[in-house]
Amino acid sequence: MRHIDKADPEQAERLFEIMVRAVEDGCAFCYPPEVIAIWNKGRSVEGQAGVIAEGHIYSIHEKGVIRGFVDIGDSEVVGLFVHPEDQRKGYGTDLFRFAVEKIGKRPILVLSSLNASPFYSKLGCHKVGTELIRRHGHEIYVEKMELA
């Protein structure tokens, strides 16, 4: 049975692994290799533990294994990651619906990687623009999406 709980800093290593693998595997067909290489540059397990300690990250578990997580802001889904081996099994949908319920107001903003925008569209989000983020001197385009 699946359940979503507030993440614990002791889960930082697994959550960091999920984030890195999701970016490396999922974003590779939408972004050039040099962007993929810098996407997680400068991030660490220790940094992930710090973000978890802030209390806005929730992880989804099934059969004792963490399958993914969502970082929830005041009116924003800051990040949602599912391990590549667990994608297309409903974990992302469960995490997104949990985040929407937790936020409890509309509109909800999502900055989506290019590869994830069809996923968010399927869940009712619509594109409101494209944003450029700079990371280590590289430009990364993301889609600004909204759930009204």
Side-chain angles (χ1 to χ4, degrees):
M1 185 168 148
R2 295 180 184 182
H3 60 283
I4 299 173
D5 297 313
K6 190 171 269 201
D8 183 288
E10 292 181 12
Q11 299 171 340
E13 189 170 340
R14 173 66 177 165
L15 272 54
F16 184 74
E17 172 198 358
I18 290 169
M19 180 179 65
V20 169
R21 288 283 312 278
V23 168
E24 289 176 350
D25 293 6
C27 296
F29 69 94
C30 289
Y31 296 95
E34 61 273 13
V35 171
I36 298 299
I38 59 95
W39 198 296
N40 293 317
K41 183 179 177 182
R43 295 188 171 141
S44 66
V45 172
E46 295 77 21
Q48 186 74 38
V51 174
I52 292 168
E54 292 174 6
H56 307 287
I57 294 185
Y58 295 83
S59 55
I60 189 165
H61 309 250
E62 188 171 48
K63 298 180 181 175
V65 177
I66 299 170
R67 309 298 180 155
F69 69 95
V70 63
D71 186 350
I72 303 171
D74 184 47
S75 59
E76 177 182 8
V77 174
V78 178
L80 189 155
F81 300 91
V82 174
H83 194 282
E85 293 173 3
D86 294 315
Q87 292 176 358
R88 302 196 184 290
K89 297 178 181 176
Y91 296 111
T93 299
D94 290 350
L95 285 166
F96 184 77
R97 289 182 178 150
F98 175 85
V100 167
E101 186 177 311
K102 196 82 168 155
I103 293 168
K105 60 185 173 183
R106 304 281 176 93
I108 295 173
L109 175 67
V110 178
L111 288 181
S112 170
S113 58
L114 300 176
N115 58 292
S117 61
F119 165 77
Y120 290 113
S121 293
K122 182 182 81 171
L123 294 171
C125 296
H126 63 278
K127 181 179 173 180
V128 294
T130 301
E131 263 191 43
L132 176 66
I133 340 175
R134 292 195 60 79
R135 186 138 173 80
H136 300 288
H138 286 80
E139 297 176 342
I140 302 174
Y141 287 92
V142 295
E143 292 189 350
K144 186 174 184 178
M145 302 186 79
E146 202 175 76
L147 180 65

